[in-house]
Amino acid sequence: MKLTSLVYLDPALQATAQQWASRFALPCVDGSSVAMAKPKFLQRFLVDQCAGEAEAFVLVLGDEGLALHAVGPDSVSIRADFHGPTVTYRRKQGGGKGQMIAKAVGLRSGVSPRVLDATAGLGSDAFVLSSLGCQVTLLERVPVVRALLEDGLVQARIFGAAQDPGLLEVLDRMALVEADSLNYLREISELERPDVVYLDPMFPVRTKSAMVKKEMRVFHSLVGTDSDADGLLEAALSCARYRVVVKRPRIAPALVGPPPSHVLEGKSNRYDVYTLEKLPDGLNAIARSHR
């Protein structure tokens, strides 16, 4: 699917829209005439920007920030959300360090590892780990997904400054880095090595499965599969100080390489944990980040 244009829905956003459009060498289109129209009219306007493409992507900049709209059979809007009701509820009421992802990276009382999320996607797992006290570095190599991440962090910071100071503390523990994950893992300095490397490589979608959500199908068409995921595991094992965690669909095979030290399995996903050294007590990400 092709990225065809950037549409802005408010004339006040024109300058910002032109900056985004220039980054991706896209036409910048004024969509303010349909900003308040019914969704079907907005969708029709977006279809008109797709130059005859049966399936395409359009970036849309509105009051809530930057979103990616898929135009075609799977019409859906995707954005990086760090301050909406769902993520806020999970941050405040989501089970804390009892969550499976927290156990996978080794979070416990007195232990807050520094995590490198080498396949950040839309940042949902990184945000959960940061909300639990981890300092998280996010890597995302797909430029348009990285743009969604970048804007999502900006929008969340604006919201936090106005309404939710606790959110700002979480965002301060997140750092988005523009880099190819494999190169970053192989070239990282000894001083910058993370305690934990977290991987969530894209897995081929089973197109006949009703369990695959529309959003995930669209995201796969944008990102593709991580054909170098096995290489990522090898590089991660050489980079991490204490462990590597790989998130996988529950029935998916493990990545090529050594077997995981242990596995945490849920209803639809599992975490393959590769332990290198025991996480020491009193491991505090924030204190070490300011040395």
Side-chain angles (χ1 to χ4, degrees), residues 136-210:
V136 187
T137 300
L138 297 83
L139 305 179
E140 175 51 55
R141 63 181 173 183
V142 179
V144 69
V145 179
R146 193 165 59 240
L148 295 177
L149 268 175
E150 182 180 331
D151 184 74
L153 291 168
V154 169
Q155 299 301 325
R157 191 165 288 279
I158 293 171
F159 178 86
Q163 302 186 42
D164 190 348
L167 175 59
L168 296 178
E169 296 178 11
V170 176
L171 299 173
D172 285 343
R173 291 192 288 268
M174 299 174 67
L176 176 61
V177 175
E178 182 175 346
D180 177 82
S181 297
L182 197 55
N183 291 336
Y184 188 94
L185 289 169
R186 289 172 173 170
E187 297 172 3
I188 195 168
S189 69
E190 177 64 27
L191 183 63
E192 295 298 320
R193 285 175 58 201
D195 300 320
V196 177
V197 175
Y198 183 84
L199 302 175
D200 182 11
M202 294 297 280
F203 186 71
V205 172
R206 294 177 297 144
T207 55
K208 295 182 180 180
S209 172

Side-chain angles (χ1 to χ4, degrees), residues 67-87:
L68 185 72
H69 283 256
V71 176
D74 285 327
S75 177
V76 68
S77 179
I78 301 171
R79 71 173 68 246
D81 179 13
F82 302 114
H83 68 282
T86 300
V87 293

Side-chain angles (χ1 to χ4, degrees), residues 96-129:
K97 295 179 181 178
Q99 298 176 72
M100 193 160 60
I101 187 174
K103 295 178 181 178
V105 302
L107 263 165
R108 61 182 188 271
S109 179
V111 177
S112 298
R114 287 186 303 130
V115 178
L116 173 64
D117 185 346
T119 52
L122 293 174
S124 57
D125 287 345
F127 183 76
V128 169
L129 292 173

Side-chain angles (χ1 to χ4, degrees), residues 203-204 206 209 211 247-254 263 265-272:
F203 186 71
R206 294 177 297 144
S209 172
M211 297 298 290
K247 183 179 181 180
R248 300 293 277 164
R250 185 178 58 82
I251 63 171
V263 176
E265 188 171 302
K267 291 182 179 179
S268 58
N269 296 313
R270 72 170 197 272
Y271 296 91
D272 294 344

